[in-house]
Amino acid sequence: QRRVYEYETGRAGLTRMHGLRHAYAQERYAELTGFAAPAAGGPSHAQLTPAQVRSDFNGDSISDVAVGASSEGIGTNNKAGAVHVLYGSPLGVTVGGGSTGVPATQFLHQDVPGISGVAESGDRFGFALASGDFDGDGFDDLAIGVPFEDIGTSQPNAGLVQIVLGGPNGLDLSRTQDVSHVGSKEEF
């Protein structure tokens, strides 16, 4: 991925941009998690408490799991990517749904209503995942990295992060937002 980045910035006549990419990533990490990135002196995974590590998208105090499958094909689109979300129950992780009282497993990709964009070969939706209560409502939310998403027609493979907000019924596809660094002062 770094080589693609260096190649594309070189083609645009930009050099020595790699550090800006890292500075932006560390800034976004801090904004999304509330902690400095480990590379910037923040706590490592091992230093966090179980409550800080756990993802609970539906607020039932039972851990939920999101699994990125960035090489998964969607239709005829190779490596379009997907995310599988499984909800925890008193009996463990389950497919849920029906009368279980646990939200049904979610299969997220860019052809699912509520997720912006369309599934395209090589986008790698789900390449990186992060969770936390980004909007402060008491439910964990999910940030999904899409490193090779095109932004418009002039920014191929610029990448973005899609955030799906949690709620009492789990991740709510009517409450999503996209975050892209393209177009800002520190464009990379």
Side-chain angles (χ1 to χ4, degrees), residues 39-81:
S44 69
H45 184 272
Q47 295 169 318
L48 298 173
T49 68
Q52 292 170 320
V53 174
R54 182 183 83 225
S55 296
D56 185 8
F57 303 123
N58 61 338
D60 64 358
S61 299
I62 300 172
S63 296
D64 304 316
V65 179
V67 180
S70 66
S71 292
E72 187 151 346
I74 303 298
T76 60
N77 297 300
N78 295 325
K79 296 184 180 179

Side-chain angles (χ1 to χ4, degrees), residues 94-164:
T94 178
V95 294
S99 62
T100 65
V102 177
T105 296
Q106 291 176 291
F107 179 59
L108 308 179
H109 54 82
Q110 289 184 296
D111 284 348
V112 169
I115 301 291
S116 67
V118 295
E120 298 169 305
S121 292
D123 275 355
R124 307 293 297 262
F125 181 88
F127 186 82
L129 303 175
S131 66
D133 186 7
F134 306 145
D135 61 353
D137 66 354
F139 300 95
D140 283 340
D141 311 307
L142 181 64
I144 304 167
V146 193
F148 300 110
E149 175 71 9
D150 297 342
I151 306 297
T153 57
S154 64
Q155 298 291 328
N157 297 326
L160 63 82
V161 175
Q162 294 187 332
I163 298 175
V164 183

